[in-house]
Amino acid sequence: EVQLVESGGGLVQIGGSLRLSCAASGFTFSNYVMFWDRQAPGKGLEWVSFISTGEERTTYVDSVKGRFTISRDNAKNTLYLQMNSLKPEDTAVYYCRCTVGGRQYRSKGTLVTVSS
């Protein structure tokens, strides 16, 4: 069974940093590209970042470029999102996501709140 379990969310001040982790199990993690999405209060789901299987390619939504870094440790079956210089508009529930066997899986989400 594919499972994606996040950790690392919480309350942070404007300009602060957080690192999200997503522990994957039930599939061969190193063979699959991974994504981070987020959903801000009252808004729709937004794609945030993508990483290829070997980290050779990463992409970001424009609003987080230069502030967020996606990475992965295939030996630990874990995906990361390092978030720096956080802004109030980064407040959202963050999810990790993958597609395995033609089915999309998303974690339960972790809340990141950026406040003054």
Side-chain angles (χ1 to χ4, degrees), residues 17 22 71 95:
S17 297
C22 173
S71 63
Y95 305 88

Side-chain angles (χ1 to χ4, degrees), residues 10-44:
L11 176 65
V12 63
Q13 291 189 328
I14 295 171
S17 297
L18 280 176
R19 188 175 83 155
L20 305 183
S21 299
C22 173
S25 62
F27 64 107
T28 306
F29 178 73
S30 59
N31 289 352
Y32 293 88
V33 302
M34 297 293 298
F35 302 85
W36 286 100
D37 302 319
R38 69 183 178 184
Q39 186 166 23
K43 297 189 176 181

Side-chain angles (χ1 to χ4, degrees), residues 62-88:
D62 285 347
S63 58
V64 309
K65 282 180 182 176
R67 301 188 298 119
F68 289 13
T69 302
I70 190 172
S71 63
R72 64 192 296 162
D73 186 334
N74 286 339
K76 295 183 178 179
N77 293 341
T78 303
L79 176 72
Y80 303 100
L81 186 67
Q82 177 67 44
M83 306 185 293
N84 299 329
S85 303
L86 283 160
K87 304 176 180 181

Side-chain angles (χ1 to χ4, degrees), residues 6 8 15 18-19 24 39 41 52 56 70-71 79 94 97 106 115:
E6 294 186 63
L18 280 176
R19 188 175 83 155
Q39 186 166 23
S52 59
E56 62 273 11
I70 190 172
S71 63
L79 176 72
Y94 285 74
R97 170 171 56 94
R106 185 175 281 118
S115 175

Side-chain angles (χ1 to χ4, degrees), residues 6 20 35-49 61 63-64 68 81 83 88-97 104 106-114:
E6 294 186 63
L20 305 183
F35 302 85
W36 286 100
D37 302 319
R38 69 183 178 184
Q39 186 166 23
K43 297 189 176 181
L45 196 62
E46 175 186 43
W47 164 78
V48 174
S49 186
V61 66
S63 58
V64 309
F68 289 13
L81 186 67
M83 306 185 293
E89 52 263 42
D90 295 318
T91 295
V93 177
Y94 285 74
Y95 305 88
C96 55
R97 170 171 56 94
Q104 183 170 279
R106 185 175 281 118
S107 61
K108 291 183 178 180
T110 187
L111 177 62
V112 172
T113 303
V114 184

